[in-house]
Amino acid sequence: MQNTYFTPGPAELYPTFQQHLQVAMDEQIGSISHRSQRFRDIYKFTDEQLRILLSIPATHGIFFMGSASEVWERMLLNCVEHESFHLVNGSFSQKFYDYAVALHKHTHVLEKPFGEGFDAADIQVPEYAEVVCLAQNETSSGVQMKTSEIHKLKRKYPKKLFCVDMVSSAPYPDLDFGIIDSAFFSVQKAFGMPAGLGVWIASEACLAKAEQLQKSDTLTIGAHHTLPTLWKQYKTFETPATPNALFIYLLGKIAEDFNRIGIETIRKQTEEKARTIYKFLDSSDTYQSFVKQERHRSQTVVVATTQKPAAEVIAAAKMKHMIVGSGYGKFKESQIRIANFPATSAEQISALIEQLKQ
Amino acid sequence: MQNTYFTPGPAELYPTFQQHLQVAMDEQIGSISHRSQRFRDIYKFTDEQLRILLSIPATHGIFFMGSASEVWERMLLNCVEHESFHLVNGSFSQKFYDYAVALHKHTHVLEKPFGEGFDAADIQVPEYAEVVCLAQNETSSGVQMKTSEIHKLKRKYPKKLFCVDMVSSAPYPDLDFGIIDSAFFSVQKAFGMPAGLGVWIASEACLAKAEQLQKSDTLTIGAHHTLPTLWKQYKTFETPATPNALFIYLLGKIAEDFNRIGIETIRKQTEEKARTIYKFLDSSDTYQSFVKQERHRSQTVVVATTQKPAAEVIAAAKMKHMIVGSGYGKFKESQIRIANFPATSAEQISALIEQLKQ
């Protein structure tokens, strides 16, 4: 019997994934040249579907990386000359910060404990920070920052480049790319694909910054996947290196499926399922929502503190072929994580809740 | 009707690929956690199979990247403090060099024209060069450097780190990892997989160099996929970022298939098929081998100059469902490229030759 994965990524594959994969195999997508019209058509299609899904304007390019982690490095190399600013409240926002330190950037950080979230009013962006790095959704702690708060902050600091981690929430957040310069996500989360592809959205302002930094004698923007090279190739829907064409194809097909349902419906369904889970946690004696403030509760990765040992809860669910995520890092023993991605239905979420009740 | 891809990568998928993919789907490899024992077992299995196949000793680690192009950057960042030395005789060895320039390394280069190859006797490695970068197989021009010559050169300069591009030839070259420090390849070439995974083999000497450079205040070894981080995670068969677990699984299964046949047999079959192609080219009035020196003729990517327009030759073969590669860059009009990977049989090569004769 097949398991249902409620893990926060890699996660349950989207129900249409296998049929798209079969078509891709029949059409020999794994063998086509990345310099062929067939590949350019695939890139163009995926680009179009993501633009519709996430309302991405023509001012922004869409690029494919090996992973979202790679995007951290590319963003910092290409868009930060000296100083970056990081909102850190979990392991992944921390890692974005750690990358900046490793790249010898002058880093500023505003920290909150695991489980707490940011609002625009909390935040003073340092004067010389060039890029503001923040997580719309902190996968490790189940905390979100509302897009309205992100937009408010950006409007307060319109000249700073904003780079938004939506790795484990896209396409849920309704980011306004009219003002947000860059964002990124992975396909093994809410898009219901196997891992192996990161998606980087970056604006012309990011490109201009990269082109300016590229002229420096002292600083390097890197050699691989630099934004100017990515953008140059992107103009004809090609990539600098041989890309994961198969996954780019599959991402386009799943984004098309999402568009058929409609992004508003997907967002509503996500919120309804999240409400069901949080309602259960709030009424349970055994489980509590780790995130206390309702506005900071992630809609896509729910973290619950459990009175029973987490390992027991996870093992019992596994017996029923439901795979639940463990708590992150030091919360491994005391928390579970439940992904709420489009691949799992309201019925599956209800079945999981019934299981957790036992 | 399905095409047969004789293109030098992406290429024909290995005949067992689809069945392995089906098993992977049935086992839900696309959903498993990269921090699970299941994933560690997969990494360990692929590691073991590649070690058997390529005779990789315990002194070397095996790491997974987004592409082979990424390895160029990682090698240069992690192992070159000041100076690198490049043997350049085609577009890909040129790109390795270009990456070093972009990273502001002090670069030395020995160049040969497209279609010509290197022997150890040609080469003086500059005194302060830390890493020698060379292509065992130049995919763009169909030129190989014999492993015996690579080994001879390394023995002459035992203290230099050697990094060998075997992107479009592995597992064919019998590199001696007892003396060769690093090598890399892509899975969409001779391993007959879709693109999306690069493999980096690096020795403890490379790691020691990276650890030394990491202490520098002025230089950065990068933030993503640094060798010390990769190695640390590798000790427990994990990866720093979420990896392409599905492709790592498939690579292990195909490497296992190769090991069942035996690497000696695969090498012999490769040489026999290459001999058939070159024999045809040498006796043809319409086609000639671009590479004149027999010892420099690639065994895995054959480049032929054609008297007929290349586009016509390619179109005619396509009518018969045989996809042949075009010449690289400025040779697009006058050359064709024929991949000779394990995925295509002696019979398929013969059929292609019959087609080219017409």
Side-chain angles (χ1 to χ4, degrees):
Chain A
M1 195 180 160
Q2 293 287 92
N3 292 321
T4 304
Y5 282 82
F6 294 94
T7 44
E12 182 72 12
L13 299 186
Y14 195 65
T16 58
F17 178 81
Q18 294 238 23
Q19 86 198 39
H20 293 316
L21 181 63
Q22 191 53 56
V23 173
M25 286 296 110
D26 293 345
E27 295 189 5
Q28 298 184 283
I29 305 287
S31 296
I32 61 166
S33 167
H34 55 296
R35 303 295 174 212
S36 67
Q37 190 55 43
R38 181 79 181 93
F39 174 73
R40 287 188 287 268
D41 290 344
I42 288 171
Y43 193 157
K44 187 162 178 279
F45 180 81
T46 301
D47 178 87
E48 282 167 357
Q49 293 301 325
L50 290 175
R51 276 181 197 284
I52 295 168
L53 190 67
L54 301 170
S55 297
I56 302 169
T59 43
H60 290 55
I62 304 175
F63 312 103
F64 300 109
M65 308 278 118
S67 64
S69 304
E70 189 187 344
V71 181
W72 290 331
E73 189 186 57
R74 300 300 161 204
M75 184 71 201
L76 293 163
L77 282 172
N78 282 273
C79 297
V80 179
E81 182 172 8
H82 300 297
E83 303 193 18
S84 60
F85 175 58
H86 301 260
L87 299 180
V88 172
N89 62 339
S91 302
F92 293 97
S93 45
Q94 175 73 41
K95 280 183 188 173
F96 201 170
Y97 170 80
D98 293 342
Y99 270 44
V101 173
L103 294 171
H104 297 192
K105 303 299 178 189
H106 184 79
T107 50
H108 304 271
V109 61
L110 179 63
E111 268 191 280
K112 288 221 175 183
F114 245 74
E116 292 185 22
F118 293 101
D119 301 309
D122 303 334
I123 302 156
Q124 282 274 49
V125 177
E127 188 176 356
Y128 295 108
E130 298 149 63
V131 176
V132 176
C133 305
L134 59 88
Q136 188 281 323
N137 200 60
E138 213 345 307
T139 321
S140 63
S141 60
V143 171
Q144 72 168 355
M145 183 165 177
K146 279 194 167 286
T147 51
S148 54
E149 294 297 309
I150 297 172
H151 298 153
K152 203 183 287 178
L153 189 67
K154 168 72 189 188
R155 281 196 203 94
K156 205 169 147 193
Y157 300 98
K159 289 190 178 165
K160 311 289 187 195
L161 294 175
F162 271 54
C163 181
V164 179
D165 176 341
M166 52 173 186
V167 167
S168 55
S169 54
Y172 172 73
D174 57 343
L175 274 182
D176 178 359
F177 287 104
I179 57 173
I180 297 300
D181 309 278
S182 178
F184 56 95
F185 62 90
S186 295
V187 300
Q188 77 274 16
K189 311 281 186 182
F191 284 87
M193 287 177 51
L197 195 69
V199 180
W200 184 19
I201 301 158
S203 71
E204 286 164 351
C206 295
L207 175 64
K209 181 74 184 254
E211 286 172 340
Q212 175 208 323
L213 299 191
Q214 200 168 29
K215 290 178 193 142
S216 163
D217 289 332
T218 51
L219 183 135
T220 171
I221 62 167
H224 183 59
H225 281 170
T226 68
L227 196 48
T229 320
L230 285 164
W231 206 297
K232 189 183 158 212
Q233 296 283 343
Y234 175 63
K235 283 181 180 167
T236 52
F237 291 109
E238 292 191 31
T239 56
T242 315
N244 191 333
L246 177 63
F247 279 28
I248 295 170
Y249 168 86
L250 294 166
L251 176 61
K253 299 310 272 183
I254 289 175
E256 183 186 34
D257 293 335
F258 284 0
N259 283 323
R260 278 204 196 100
I261 298 168
I263 185 63
E264 285 315 316
T265 303
I266 286 175
R267 284 175 181 152
K268 228 178 65 187
Q269 287 171 345
T270 300
E271 287 166 1
E272 278 164 12
K273 289 188 295 167
R275 204 175 301 125
T276 308
I277 304 170
Y278 284 117
K279 204 175 144 193
F280 161 65
L281 298 179
D282 287 342
S283 65
S284 168
D285 293 330
T286 315
Y287 308 96
Q288 289 82 43
S289 171
F290 178 48
V291 182
K292 298 304 163 205
Q293 294 291 344
E294 218 176 299
R295 68 185 185 283
H296 294 150
R297 287 179 175 178
S298 167
Q299 299 300 293
T300 51
V301 179
V302 177
V303 177
T305 303
T306 164
Q307 305 303 321
K308 289 190 215 165
E312 274 179 33
V313 174
I314 291 168
K318 195 177 174 185
M319 291 284 290
K320 301 289 175 63
H321 302 286
M322 298 182 213
I323 311 297
V324 175
S326 57
Y328 199 89
K330 67 173 179 174
F331 297 100
K332 201 176 167 69
E333 313 286 314
S334 59
Q335 294 184 351
I336 57 171
R337 288 185 298 162
I338 302 165
N340 174 33
F341 297 148
T344 48
S345 65
E347 291 68 33
Q348 288 171 315
I349 292 285
S350 297
L352 176 65
I353 289 173
E354 285 311 307
Q355 166 60 29
L356 293 176
K357 278 180 182 167
Q358 286 169 15
Chain B
M1 195 180 160
Q2 295 286 92
N3 293 321
T4 305
Y5 282 82
F6 295 94
T7 43
E12 182 72 12
L13 298 187
Y14 196 65
T16 59
F17 179 81
Q18 295 238 24
Q19 85 198 41
H20 294 315
L21 180 62
Q22 191 52 56
V23 173
M25 287 295 110
D26 293 345
E27 296 189 3
Q28 298 184 281
I29 305 286
S31 296
I32 62 167
S33 167
H34 55 296
R35 303 295 174 210
S36 68
Q37 190 55 43
R38 182 77 181 94
F39 174 72
R40 287 189 287 269
D41 291 343
I42 288 171
Y43 193 156
K44 187 163 178 280
F45 180 81
T46 302
D47 178 88
E48 284 167 357
Q49 294 301 327
L50 290 175
R51 275 180 199 285
I52 296 168
L53 189 67
L54 301 170
S55 297
I56 302 169
T59 44
H60 290 55
I62 304 175
F63 311 103
F64 300 109
M65 307 278 118
S67 64
S69 303
E70 189 188 345
V71 181
W72 291 332
E73 189 186 57
R74 300 300 162 204
M75 184 70 201
L76 293 162
L77 282 172
N78 281 274
C79 297
V80 179
E81 183 173 6
H82 300 297
E83 304 193 17
S84 60
F85 175 57
H86 301 260
L87 299 179
V88 172
N89 61 339
S91 303
F92 294 97
S93 45
Q94 175 72 40
K95 280 183 188 173
F96 201 169
Y97 170 80
D98 292 342
Y99 270 43
V101 172
L103 295 171
H104 296 191
K105 302 299 178 188
H106 184 80
T107 51
H108 304 270
V109 61
L110 179 62
E111 269 191 280
K112 288 221 175 183
F114 245 75
E116 293 185 22
F118 293 101
D119 300 310
D122 303 335
I123 302 157
Q124 282 275 48
V125 178
E127 188 177 355
Y128 294 108
E130 298 149 65
V131 176
V132 176
C133 305
L134 59 89
Q136 188 281 323
N137 200 60
E138 205 3 292
T139 321
S140 62
S141 60
V143 171
Q144 73 167 355
M145 182 164 177
K146 280 194 165 284
T147 51
S148 55
E149 294 297 308
I150 296 171
H151 299 153
K152 202 183 287 179
L153 189 66
K154 168 72 188 187
R155 283 196 202 93
K156 203 169 149 193
Y157 299 98
K159 290 190 178 163
K160 311 290 186 195
L161 294 174
F162 272 54
C163 181
V164 178
D165 176 341
M166 52 174 187
V167 167
S168 55
S169 54
Y172 172 73
D174 57 342
L175 274 182
D176 179 358
F177 287 102
I179 57 173
I180 297 300
D181 308 279
S182 179
F184 56 94
F185 63 90
S186 294
V187 301
Q188 75 274 17
K189 311 281 185 179
F191 283 87
M193 287 177 52
L197 195 70
V199 179
W200 184 20
I201 302 158
S203 71
E204 286 164 352
C206 295
L207 175 64
K209 182 73 184 255
E211 286 172 338
Q212 175 209 322
L213 299 191
Q214 200 169 28
K215 291 178 193 141
S216 163
D217 289 331
T218 51
L219 181 135
T220 172
I221 62 168
H224 184 60
H225 281 170
T226 68
L227 195 48
T229 320
L230 286 164
W231 206 297
K232 189 182 158 212
Q233 297 283 344
Y234 174 64
K235 282 181 180 168
T236 53
F237 292 110
E238 291 190 32
T239 56
T242 315
N244 191 333
L246 177 63
F247 279 28
I248 294 171
Y249 168 85
L250 295 166
L251 176 62
K253 299 311 272 184
I254 289 175
E256 184 186 35
D257 293 335
F258 285 0
N259 282 323
R260 280 205 196 99
I261 297 168
I263 185 64
E264 286 315 315
T265 303
I266 285 176
R267 285 176 180 151
K268 228 178 66 187
Q269 287 170 344
T270 301
E271 287 167 359
E272 279 165 12
K273 289 188 295 167
R275 205 174 302 125
T276 308
I277 304 170
Y278 284 117
K279 204 175 143 192
F280 160 65
L281 297 180
D282 288 342
S283 65
S284 168
D285 293 330
T286 314
Y287 308 97
Q288 288 83 43
S289 170
F290 178 48
V291 181
K292 298 305 164 205
Q293 293 292 344
E294 218 175 299
R295 69 186 184 283
H296 294 151
R297 287 178 176 178
S298 168
Q299 299 299 294
T300 51
V301 179
V302 177
V303 177
T305 304
T306 164
Q307 305 304 321
K308 288 190 216 166
E312 275 179 33
V313 174
I314 291 168
K318 196 177 174 186
M319 291 285 289
K320 301 289 175 63
H321 302 286
M322 298 183 214
I323 311 297
V324 174
S326 57
Y328 199 89
K330 67 172 179 173
F331 296 101
K332 203 175 166 68
E333 313 286 314
S334 58
Q335 294 184 351
I336 57 171
R337 288 185 299 161
I338 303 166
N340 175 33
F341 297 147
T344 48
S345 65
E347 291 68 34
Q348 288 171 314
I349 292 284
S350 297
L352 175 65
I353 289 173
E354 285 312 306
Q355 166 59 30
L356 292 176
K357 278 181 182 167
Q358 285 168 15

